[in-house]
Amino acid sequence: MKIIIACGGTGGHLFPGIAVAQQLRKMGHKPVLLISKKEVDAEASRKYGDLDFHTIQAIAKPPLLSLKMPAFLWNLARTYATCCRIIKAEQADVVVGMGGFTSLPPVRAGKSMGLRTYVHDSNAMPGKSNRLTARWCNKVLLGMGEAAGFFPGSTCEVVGTPVREELNKLPNKYDARRALGLPLDKPVILVTGGSQGAKNLNSMLIAAAKGDPAVHYYVIAGKADYERVNALANGAPNITVTGFCSDMPAAYAAADGVIARSGASTLTELSVIGKACLLVPFPYAADDHQTHNARVFTGHGAAVMCQQADLTEEVVHNFVHHTILDHDKRNAMETAMRSLSRPDAAEAIARVITGA
């Protein structure tokens, strides 16, 4: 089968889409991925050169009364037409959107051409775009069961959120540290704001790291914030700053604990690998959905949550020294984290959309 997967825009949509594509190829199908023109998508298309990528224009929906609305509608119509051409040229059988406004035009185009269509939502509180896209879908696929109530008119199935194949088997911790140039004899804390980076989180963590010389902090700052964060670190020997990490399996394997935003894709990866984490929800996320995600995990004892406004050096140090460096507490949190994982999510999605 030829299957269109619309998955660009952010890592939270892109990497689950890649995981589904990898699974479909294993099953003998031919996935075609539609991505945006953003740098995060370009990086992925270079890394996963064995997959078939097409770029489409994708822009976020402005407020209804915004002066940007006419341009948005014009671009939406153009993208819809582009998607119709791609679907026809590829002779596609199914269209699946992995969320966000990159998914809406392909799914709508697929439905208008009589194809089976699906949308996947990985969050506890779905975004407005996915709730709209669901109108044209045969079924809504969910990462978390808590989201089902937001799709009252749709058939829903909880399948989990997929992770890329390379995260299913991490390297040895010390091999990973050698590969990343991290110390072998200190605890290591991974700090990541997701594919878009996190300016305020980065600033606070650099300050906390400077006051904690016994622990090494590996900070993935995001490309746009790298120069600023590296200058803040000012060569501190217990801080490593990078703009982008192309080897996340090594970054996860090297870390004793993680401090991160609570995007659904990040949480899914943490649950599959079983890492204790401090979650700092992005305060400006649509409908505050990252807080809803974090609450699902903290409710199971799988993570600690701190809102960005409440994040201090003391909070960071308490998490590191009284959770990560406490063997029993860390083990309990890692066990709870693994209990929330759905390692078969990519296979479950592939079975649904192919009718297997």
Side-chain angles (χ1 to χ4, degrees):
M1 295 176 67
K2 270 285 188 77
I3 298 164
I4 301 290
I5 303 174
C7 61
T10 70
H13 300 138
L14 175 65
F15 296 125
I18 288 171
V20 173
Q22 290 172 328
Q23 178 62 36
L24 288 168
R25 286 192 62 178
K26 282 184 182 179
M27 296 167 65
H29 300 292
K30 297 180 179 179
V32 176
L33 294 96
L34 303 187
I35 59 175
S36 75
K37 298 177 181 179
K38 290 184 177 180
E39 181 59 26
V40 63
D41 293 1
E43 289 274 0
S45 65
R46 287 192 289 269
K47 181 176 180 181
Y48 299 95
D50 58 327
L51 295 175
D52 186 6
F53 292 90
H54 289 266
T55 58
I56 60 173
Q57 186 167 355
I59 54 173
K61 178 180 174 295
L64 191 60
L65 300 179
S66 169
L67 294 176
K68 296 179 180 180
M69 182 56 74
F72 167 76
L73 293 173
W74 170 246
N75 285 315
L76 192 66
R78 290 176 60 196
T79 302
Y80 171 83
T82 299
C83 292
C84 286
R85 287 195 295 271
I86 292 172
I87 291 169
K88 185 176 181 180
E90 295 289 348
Q91 297 182 310
D93 301 292
V94 179
V95 178
V96 56
M98 298 305 295
F101 268 96
T102 306
S103 294
L104 194 153
V107 167
R108 184 67 184 92
K111 194 65 173 180
S112 72
M113 299 171 76
L115 306 186
R116 286 189 292 114
T117 53
Y118 303 87
V119 67
H120 180 272
D121 195 294
S122 54
N123 292 296
M125 175 177 277
K128 292 182 178 67
S129 60
N130 280 3
R131 283 179 256 173
L132 177 60
T133 303
R135 298 180 184 182
W136 302 297
C137 292
N138 294 75
K139 184 176 282 189
V140 177
L141 308 176
L142 302 177
M144 301 185 198
E146 289 79 0
F150 294 93
F151 298 101
S154 301
T155 301
C156 297
E157 183 172 339
V158 181
V159 292
T161 297
V163 298
R164 295 160 285 170
E165 287 178 354
E166 59 261 41
L167 292 175
N168 290 322
K169 187 176 181 181
L170 300 187
N172 172 276
K173 177 168 79 171
Y174 296 106
D175 289 341
R177 290 188 179 185
R178 290 186 188 98
L180 297 173
L182 301 176
L184 305 182
D185 58 349
K186 281 186 175 184
V188 172
I189 300 297
L190 169 65
V191 180
T192 174
S195 63
Q196 307 303 302
K199 187 173 183 180
N200 291 330
L201 180 64
N202 290 338
S203 297
M204 174 53 67
L205 266 297
I206 292 296
K210 285 185 172 181
D212 195 14
V215 175
H216 197 90
Y217 289 77
Y218 181 56
V219 182
I220 304 175
K223 286 189 173 182
D225 205 24
Y226 168 74
E227 296 294 341
R228 185 189 70 87
V229 175
N230 199 42
L232 287 176
N234 195 29
N238 70 316
I239 304 174
T240 299
V241 181
T242 184
F244 177 80
C245 180
S246 61
D247 191 357
M248 285 306 295
Y252 284 134
D256 295 295
V258 179
I259 299 174
R261 294 300 196 192
S262 48
S265 185
T266 295
L267 289 173
T268 301
E269 292 179 353
L270 291 170
S271 68
V272 168
I273 64 177
K275 286 290 178 180
C277 60
L278 171 62
L279 299 175
V280 186
F282 180 54
Y284 308 109
D287 300 318
D288 198 22
H289 71 264
Q290 288 204 6
T291 294
H292 290 270
N293 291 345
R295 284 176 180 155
V296 172
F297 280 72
T298 57
H300 286 83
V304 175
M305 179 176 72
C306 180
Q307 295 292 354
Q308 182 169 289
D310 301 321
L311 188 66
T312 63
E313 293 180 38
E314 183 180 8
V315 169
V316 174
H317 294 164
N318 282 340
F319 169 72
V320 172
H321 291 275
H322 300 298
T323 298
I324 298 304
L325 300 185
D326 183 311
H327 185 268
D328 291 338
K329 287 183 180 178
R330 186 174 81 186
N331 276 356
M333 189 174 285
E334 289 175 346
T335 299
M337 182 61 84
R338 289 190 189 95
S339 74
L340 295 175
S341 71
R342 287 288 302 264
D344 65 338
E347 184 179 352
I349 293 172
R351 284 199 307 268
V352 171
I353 64 180
T354 60

